């Protein structure tokens, strides 16, 4: 078994929870603050790591944090220690999720390192991308209503999702603006350690070439209610599947 390839995909699984995004449709609800979800990552039934998604108040702003850590036995071969943050306006008159102010990524996956941030200026429609490892800073043009991957995921959770329909959203990632499609596939009842849930299954079609790039199909189970809690995610790997399952949280 190639542990490096396996754990790289584990990291993608965790991070894909925050890449799921769609275009501006009729909203279902506003996001809940505070909120925290904890997930077990399993491959072939064996626990390989843990992930966490959290949203909290910070004075006049909201911060969303995604983190992923490999299990001790896996870290012997390939350490995963990832943290991604998005800081948003607390209120925004047009959308149910505030526009992002700052997006930061700190990644350690084996020998791979990434330390970058994006500063958003929506009035000037500019994004400043800073790579702290390469010591590079560059400015890019932005369209209206553009998200980073984390805020895009939380935006989709506010929407009314209809089976058989696709939606699109503008995401700034990897120094580009991507128009990402998300397919709403079906409704399904799933039984997990936390209970049985009625869910809607969605599939994001990836384009980004950055840390959110994935070669295999990814499926996400969101509760079929106004909260759209991500309770399960699954993706295929060379041998079997990797599954992320909600094991605790509050909202």
């Amino acid at each position: 078994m190639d542990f490096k390839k396996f754990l790289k995909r584990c990291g993608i699984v965790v991070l894909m929870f925050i890449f799921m995004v769609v275009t501006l449709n009729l909203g279902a609800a506003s996001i809940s603050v505070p909120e925290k979800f904890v997930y077990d990552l399993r491959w072939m039934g064996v626990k390989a790591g843990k992930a966490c998604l959290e949203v909290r108040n910070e004075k006049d702003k909201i911060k969303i944090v995604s983190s992923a850590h490999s299990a001790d036995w896996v870290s012997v071969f390939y350490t995963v220690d990832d943290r991604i943050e998005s800081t948003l306006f607390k209120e925004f008159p047009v959308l149910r999720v505030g526009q992002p102010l700052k997006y930061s990524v700190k990644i350690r996956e084996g020998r791979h390192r990434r330390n970058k941030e994006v500063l958003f200026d929506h009035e000037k429609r500019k994004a400043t991308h800073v790579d702290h490892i390469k010591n590079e800073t560059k400015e890019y043009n932005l369209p209206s209503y553009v998200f980073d991957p984390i805020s895009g995921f939380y935006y989709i959770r506010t929407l009314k999702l209809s089976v058989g329909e696709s939606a699109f959203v503008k995401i700034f990632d990897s120094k580009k603006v991507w128009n990402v499609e998300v397919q709403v596939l079906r409704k399904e009842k799933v039984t997990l350690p936390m209970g049985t849930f009625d869910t809607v299954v969605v599939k994001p079609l990836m384009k980004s070439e950055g840390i959110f790039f994935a070669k295999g199909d990814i499926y996400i189970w969101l509760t079929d209610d106004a909260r759209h809690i991500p309770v399960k995610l699954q993706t295929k790997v060379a041998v079997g599947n990797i599954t992320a399952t909600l094991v605790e949280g509050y909202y």
Side-chain angles (χ1 to χ4, degrees):
M1 179 175 62
D2 189 330
F3 280 99
K4 290 186 177 181
K5 289 183 179 179
F6 160 55
L7 283 169
K8 186 174 181 181
R9 181 54 64 102
C10 277
I12 290 172
V13 170
V14 176
L15 296 175
M16 281 310 305
F17 272 110
I18 59 177
F19 194 79
M20 256 286 302
V21 287
V22 295
T23 190
L24 310 181
N25 290 321
L26 293 177
S30 297
I31 62 174
S32 176
V33 184
E35 178 183 81
K36 184 176 182 179
F37 303 131
V38 179
Y39 302 87
D40 275 349
L41 289 175
R42 292 185 174 271
W43 173 75
M44 303 290 284
V46 179
K47 185 174 179 179
K50 182 161 288 197
C52 180
L53 283 174
E54 182 178 7
V55 56
R56 56 179 182 252
N57 284 306
E58 288 203 349
K59 297 182 179 179
D60 59 337
K61 299 177 179 63
I62 291 176
K63 178 169 283 189
I64 304 171
V65 180
S66 171
S67 60
H69 305 280
S70 51
D72 290 343
W73 72 271
V74 172
S75 297
V76 173
F77 304 92
Y78 189 88
T79 299
V80 174
D81 184 10
D82 298 347
R83 184 179 178 89
I84 302 176
E85 297 183 359
S86 178
T87 302
L88 318 174
F89 288 107
K90 179 165 288 189
E91 295 182 1
F92 193 72
V94 177
L95 308 175
R96 287 174 169 81
V97 174
Q99 292 279 264
L101 296 168
K102 180 180 178 181
Y103 173 66
S104 62
V105 175
K106 291 185 178 181
I107 296 293
R108 178 192 176 192
E109 295 178 359
R111 294 182 179 179
H112 175 69
R113 301 286 191 278
R114 184 164 296 184
N115 186 352
K116 70 174 185 178
E117 63 183 352
V118 179
L119 305 176
F120 292 87
D121 188 331
H122 296 282
E123 289 187 1
K124 296 181 179 179
R125 295 190 179 180
K126 298 288 184 180
T128 302
H129 182 278
V130 182
D131 189 320
H132 293 289
I133 294 178
K134 296 181 180 180
N135 196 26
E136 294 178 352
T137 300
K138 191 171 181 179
E139 191 173 77
Y140 298 86
N141 294 323
L142 291 178
S144 300
Y145 309 129
V146 65
F147 296 93
D148 62 59
I150 298 185
S151 58
F153 167 71
Y154 277 82
Y155 179 68
I156 191 181
R157 290 183 53 207
T158 72
L159 302 180
K160 182 178 180 180
L161 302 176
S162 298
V163 173
E165 297 182 4
S166 291
F168 301 83
V169 72
K170 291 169 286 189
I171 294 290
F172 183 82
D173 186 40
S174 302
K175 305 178 184 180
K176 292 183 180 181
V177 176
W178 305 88
N179 196 30
V180 179
E181 179 182 2
V182 175
Q183 297 176 341
V184 184
L185 301 179
R186 63 184 183 274
K187 295 188 177 184
E188 184 176 315
K189 187 183 293 289
V190 295
T191 299
L192 305 171
M194 287 191 67
T196 299
F197 300 90
D198 292 317
T199 69
V200 57
V201 184
V202 295
K203 176 184 175 182
L205 304 182
M206 307 310 304
K207 292 183 179 181
S208 171
E209 296 175 342
I211 61 172
F212 301 99
F213 177 76
K215 294 182 179 179
D217 291 336
I218 295 175
Y219 300 91
I220 302 173
W221 284 255
L222 303 170
T223 56
D224 188 18
D225 55 25
R227 296 168 296 176
H228 286 150
I229 296 170
V231 295
K232 179 182 175 182
L233 184 147
Q234 189 172 82
T235 187
K236 291 183 179 180
V237 290
V239 179
N241 297 313
I242 293 178
T243 303
T245 304
L246 182 67
V247 292
E248 61 180 282
Y250 59 81
Y251 45 88

